[in-house]
Amino acid sequence: EYFYGIAEQRKIDQAARRIQKVIKFTKKCDKLRADFAADSAAYLERLKKVEAVLEDRTIDNTMAGAQRKLEEFYKYKTEDKNVILGYQLSLESLFNNLSMLLVQNNRPEFVPPAGLSLKDIEAAMLHLEQVEQERKVALHAELNRQIKLLKLDDQHKSIHAKLAAYAQDKLAYLAACDAGIESIGAAQFALRTLDAFDKDLAGVRSSTLADLTKIGAELVAEKYERSAEVQEREAADNTAFEQMGTLSAEKRPVLDDHLARELFKE
């Protein structure tokens, strides 16, 4: 009776150990399932936040701003993106370990909650890659646009400098006193010179000044960061040309009077 009693107790102990093993296995699998579901949900939420940042197309319309955002993007690619990929690999490893554990113990395969499977994670990563590419293209396009605007601004400055030098020279000519005219030939030469000036002024106004205005209009339309300086340069040039036109109109009757006087004297 003692021997059979010990044998029965051994059976009970073995059954208890089997039950304990099953309970530990079940709790371990349940924890892995819960961890995978929670980590997957957190991972997908993180991807959404990253996509929201990448999809932001707001710009401050400056060269410095375009360069800064491009630097931030490449910093994300080299730093944050590696962390994201590391999380994805961890999730895949967790899923594979759980699946292998279930297969080895003849348990049903693990089916993640809806929207949290590895396929869903892969699809989310593919979408992130697409958003990244679109962001990269947009940032480079903005940088190229800012480079173009800087080149246009340099052209605008160059044309303005030429117009300013032209105006300074011609204003000096228009302001010069014509009291030295004492012959019909001198008066006629002065009038021919003024005619040539008026023709030249009209040509410069319709070509060089028009080019300046066209470039300035494009810069303002693109909301260039130094549009105020562009408009100031154009205003100065327009004022100078208006002044030259006014002085020319005032100079002509004086020269006509000189010619009439010399003709009368002769």
Side-chain angles (χ1 to χ4, degrees), residues 185-204:
Q188 290 175 337
F189 176 77
L191 282 168
R192 287 196 300 271
T193 302
L194 185 62
D195 290 339
F197 165 76
D198 287 342
K199 183 177 180 181
D200 182 59
L201 183 67
V204 174

Side-chain angles (χ1 to χ4, degrees), residues 87-106:
Y87 283 148
Q88 183 183 10
L89 293 175
S90 296
L91 284 172
E92 291 178 356
S93 176
L94 178 60
F95 179 86
N96 292 333
N97 289 338
L98 177 58
S99 298
M100 186 180 300
L101 192 62
L102 292 173
V103 169
Q104 290 174 348
N105 289 272
N106 297 321

Side-chain angles (χ1 to χ4, degrees), residues 6-261:
I6 293 299
E8 289 297 324
Q9 185 61 43
R10 184 178 297 119
K11 293 180 181 179
I12 295 174
D13 291 340
Q14 291 175 348
R17 282 193 292 271
R18 284 196 297 269
I19 293 173
Q20 184 179 23
K21 185 177 179 181
V22 170
I23 291 174
K24 287 182 178 180
F25 176 79
T26 303
K27 290 174 70 175
K28 181 179 180 180
C29 291
D30 289 345
K31 185 179 184 304
L32 291 175
R33 291 189 184 95
D35 289 345
F36 181 84
D39 292 348
S40 297
Y43 180 75
L44 293 175
E45 185 64 26
R46 178 169 185 167
L47 290 186
K48 289 180 181 179
K49 291 180 179 179
V50 172
E51 288 179 3
V53 174
L54 292 175
E55 289 174 346
D56 180 16
R57 295 292 184 266
T58 57
I59 58 173
D60 55 10
N61 209 16
T62 64
M63 172 61 80
Q67 292 174 333
R68 183 179 65 256
K69 289 205 170 184
L70 201 56
E71 289 173 359
E72 290 174 352
F73 174 76
Y74 281 111
K75 182 179 180 182
Y76 152 78
K77 288 282 288 183
T78 56
E79 297 180 6
D80 296 345
K81 184 67 178 297
N82 290 333
V83 176
I84 291 174
L85 292 175
Y87 283 148
Q88 183 183 10
L89 293 175
S90 296
L91 284 172
E92 291 178 356
S93 176
L94 178 60
F95 179 86
N96 292 333
N97 289 338
L98 177 58
S99 298
M100 186 180 300
L101 192 62
L102 292 173
V103 169
Q104 290 174 348
N105 289 272
N106 297 321
R107 297 298 181 92
E109 65 175 331
F110 171 55
V111 179
L116 300 179
S117 66
L118 290 181
K119 289 185 177 180
D120 295 322
I121 293 172
E122 291 175 1
M125 279 300 300
L126 289 175
H127 186 262
L128 180 65
E129 294 285 351
Q130 180 183 350
V131 173
E132 283 180 7
Q133 184 62 26
E134 293 172 355
R135 179 62 168 169
K136 179 181 177 181
V137 171
L139 289 176
H140 279 284
E142 174 59 19
L143 181 63
N144 291 334
R145 189 178 77 90
Q146 290 296 332
I147 293 173
K148 176 185 175 183
L149 292 179
L150 285 178
K151 290 181 178 179
L152 287 175
D153 187 33
D154 289 339
Q155 293 179 20
H156 196 273
K157 290 177 182 177
S158 177
I159 295 173
H160 166 69
K162 293 178 182 178
L163 290 175
Y166 174 85
Q168 183 179 6
D169 180 60
K170 298 306 180 183
L171 285 171
Y173 153 70
L174 292 169
C177 180
D178 299 308
I181 296 176
E182 297 179 353
S183 67
I184 295 174
Q188 290 175 337
F189 176 77
L191 282 168
R192 287 196 300 271
T193 302
L194 185 62
D195 290 339
F197 165 76
D198 287 342
K199 183 177 180 181
D200 182 59
L201 183 67
V204 174
R205 187 191 293 272
S206 63
S207 58
T208 309
L209 185 61
D211 291 341
L212 181 82
T213 304
K214 182 179 179 181
I215 294 174
E218 183 175 355
L219 288 170
V220 172
E222 290 291 330
K223 298 180 180 179
Y224 176 56
E225 58 182 306
R226 296 176 181 169
S227 294
E229 297 176 14
V230 171
Q231 292 173 323
E232 287 177 4
R233 290 195 293 266
E234 289 187 12
D237 291 334
N238 287 324
T239 299
F241 271 76
E242 290 298 327
Q243 186 179 3
M244 285 187 285
T246 300
L247 292 176
S248 175
E250 293 174 352
K251 192 179 187 72
R252 185 168 295 279
V254 175
L255 296 178
D256 288 338
D257 185 62
H258 283 312
L259 179 60
R261 184 190 69 245

